[in-house]
Amino acid sequence: MNILIGVGIAIAGLGGFVLFLWLLFEWQYKTRQGNLLEFDSGVWQFLTYEPEHYRLELLLTATNHTRNLDVFLVEVNPILSLLSSDNLDEIHSKVQLRSRHPNTGSRNDNYWESYIVNPNQSTGVEIQIDLSGKNLEELKTAWVRVCYTIYGPAGREEKIKHCIIPLQFPDANQRERWRPTPDADVLPIRTHILSAGDNPVEVMQRYVISHAQAGDIVTIAETPIAIMQGNFYHPSDIKPQWLAKRLCYYFKSTSSLATACGLQSLINESGAWRVAFAFVVGSLAKAIFRVPGVFYMLAGEQARLIDDVTGTLPPYDQFIVLGPKNPQAVVDEIKAGTGLEAAIVDVNDLRRVKVLASTSGVSENLLNQALLMNPAGNAAEQTPIVLIRPNTPT
């Protein structure tokens, strides 16, 4: 009997040891970085900008962020979509792909030759877009989907990098019409369709300075700031998990959290435990105490700011756009670069004005009054900036 007990203890001990090794092995696997190769937002420029001929160059950098593993960039395939206010029948487009590998030549036949990117190293991709035709002035944006395949320890993965390039630029010096409000005049300012290649200070210098004077306040919507920061994601890049798939059904259909991808984007920012806690407490507060909005107070700032698919003008209507990162730093940079007091705001047609960040000389009461009727609009006005001129010095 003692022998049997001893054997049983030995087997149990061996089983526990094997289980420990298995859990350790799984933990190591889960914490490995895998195929962590990513593209940056890219930089672009016009090589030719003539009435019937545009030629653009888009340069992207792919970086292997793993600590000690090679990742292969085995395929790159750019796909171009043009957005226009007119038909595209007479517009012809051509896309050329070239590699920009360190210390090697590049091919000119649009073929991407597999390339090994070493740990913490980068390689470059050059995409040239040639557009010709009679209606180029009607083109608004070029949407480049850079489809690429990476290969490494985590297997073969297909991904897409989305690049939005503006093609139509309003005249910054065009005379605009000021609109009166009780305490200030407001001027909605039209811009090109902003992208991750834009900088908020440069946008203000380009479109606002010619209309502004000392004492003015410049405001910009939160969504364009997030877009310029690259803080938007295509739903195909978001993988909804267990929590998002189940909780999304409890939000109103008009909410940006009513889809699994929309809610998962919040979970990615705030964390699953925080969102779950906010949901439980918010549900109890609403059901028992009739207090709405507790979830949004507890789930993090992004809960109120996320715009799901269709929430923004094309081509961003295909994306989930989050709120801006570090908005206070952005308004401080705008003031330093323009000399104007500045604010980032969230305004809608329901007469709700939320100030995300503002410089020290801004009166929130004045902003609420001046922006109450949403002069920037919520449709396709393409006027994300509103210049405010107080009737009396602030």
Side-chain angles (χ1 to χ4, degrees):
M1 179 65 70
N2 290 335
I3 294 175
L4 292 175
I5 293 175
V7 171
I9 292 175
I11 293 174
L14 180 61
F17 180 68
V18 171
L19 178 61
F20 170 76
L21 289 179
W22 181 81
L23 291 174
L24 179 62
F25 185 74
E26 279 296 299
W27 175 80
Q28 287 184 321
Y29 172 75
K30 292 291 186 181
T31 55
R32 293 189 187 278
Q33 294 176 300
N35 299 339
L36 195 57
L37 183 143
E38 297 177 345
F39 277 93
D40 66 358
S41 297
V43 294
W44 61 269
Q45 63 175 334
F46 280 101
L47 303 178
T48 303
Y49 193 72
E50 299 173 350
E52 296 186 3
H53 182 208
Y54 295 170
R55 188 171 183 82
L56 303 93
E57 179 183 70
L58 172 64
L59 301 177
L60 297 122
T61 300
T63 302
N64 179 3
H65 294 286
T66 58
R67 290 185 294 271
N68 52 15
L69 297 172
D70 292 340
V71 178
F72 301 63
L73 183 56
V74 297
E75 291 183 11
V76 178
N77 180 32
I79 300 174
L80 174 67
S81 295
L82 298 174
L83 280 72
S84 174
S85 55
D86 201 349
N87 67 70
L88 303 174
D89 293 345
E90 296 186 11
I91 294 178
H92 305 281
S93 62
K94 180 181 179 181
V95 180
Q96 294 178 300
L97 170 69
R98 292 188 181 94
S99 60
R100 283 199 171 188
H101 303 316
N103 304 318
T104 63
S106 63
R107 303 177 65 107
N108 296 313
D109 57 359
N110 277 345
Y111 179 81
W112 182 268
E113 188 172 349
S114 295
Y115 184 79
I116 299 175
V117 186
N118 300 128
N120 298 311
Q121 299 299 311
S122 301
T123 190
V125 176
E126 175 187 326
I127 299 170
Q128 288 200 4
I129 301 169
D130 199 278
L131 305 174
S132 59
K134 296 182 179 180
N135 295 323
L136 296 187
E137 71 278 0
E138 301 298 330
L139 291 176
K140 292 186 175 182
T141 55
W143 177 7
V144 185
R145 299 172 178 87
V146 184
C147 305
Y148 64 101
T149 303
I150 55 179
Y151 180 78
R156 181 183 171 94
E157 300 180 61
E158 296 182 354
K159 296 189 174 185
I160 302 177
K161 179 65 183 181
H162 300 269
C163 301
I164 312 298
I165 302 175
L167 300 176
Q168 191 179 83
F169 301 89
D171 182 2
N173 297 314
Q174 183 176 353
R175 186 162 185 168
E176 305 288 352
R177 184 174 63 87
W178 288 83
R179 304 176 187 178
T181 70
D183 296 327
D185 291 336
V186 297
L187 177 66
I189 296 179
R190 185 176 173 84
T191 70
H192 61 271
I193 294 180
L194 301 171
S195 72
D198 287 305
N199 175 279
V201 175
E202 293 174 358
V203 170
M204 296 296 176
Q205 292 172 338
R206 178 171 188 167
Y207 290 106
V208 176
I209 292 300
S210 61
H211 302 285
Q213 65 182 33
D216 288 353
I217 301 168
V218 62
T219 68
I220 185 168
E222 88 287 357
T223 297
I225 293 293
I227 287 172
M228 285 188 276
Q229 293 175 333
N231 204 19
F232 59 94
Y233 303 91
H234 195 271
S236 62
D237 296 325
I238 297 176
K239 310 301 180 186
Q241 302 299 314
W242 186 92
L243 186 66
K245 290 179 179 178
R246 285 152 181 81
L247 293 192
C248 67
Y249 287 99
Y250 293 92
F251 292 87
K252 292 182 179 179
S253 59
T254 54
S255 170
S256 290
L257 305 180
T259 64
C261 289
L263 185 54
Q264 185 64 48
S265 66
L266 173 63
I267 293 172
N268 292 345
E269 293 290 318
S270 299
W273 286 107
R274 181 175 182 178
V275 172
F277 174 77
F279 179 80
V280 172
V281 175
S283 299
L284 292 175
K286 189 172 183 179
I288 299 175
F289 302 105
R290 299 292 188 268
V291 178
V294 174
F295 170 84
Y296 293 93
M297 290 188 290
L298 298 177
E301 186 68 18
Q302 290 289 351
R304 293 184 182 275
L305 299 177
I306 292 172
D307 283 328
D308 203 353
V309 169
T310 74
T312 312
L313 79 169
Y316 298 107
D317 61 322
Q318 303 288 333
F319 295 84
I320 298 170
V321 183
L322 279 66
K325 303 173 185 175
N326 201 355
Q328 187 60 51
V330 176
V331 294
D332 290 340
E333 289 173 3
I334 292 173
K335 182 176 180 179
T338 65
L340 299 172
E341 301 291 345
I344 297 174
V345 295
D346 181 12
V347 186
N348 59 39
D349 288 335
L350 301 177
R351 297 194 175 189
R352 294 176 183 171
V353 179
K354 178 177 176 59
V355 180
L356 275 65
S358 62
T359 50
S360 57
V362 173
S363 165
E364 290 199 13
N365 288 334
L366 176 65
L367 292 186
N368 276 279
Q369 180 274 318
L371 301 176
L372 190 65
M373 301 304 294
N374 192 14
N378 260 14
E381 293 87 351
Q382 213 171 301
T383 52
I385 299 171
V386 175
L387 189 61
I388 300 174
R389 181 163 297 166
N391 294 338
T392 56
T394 58

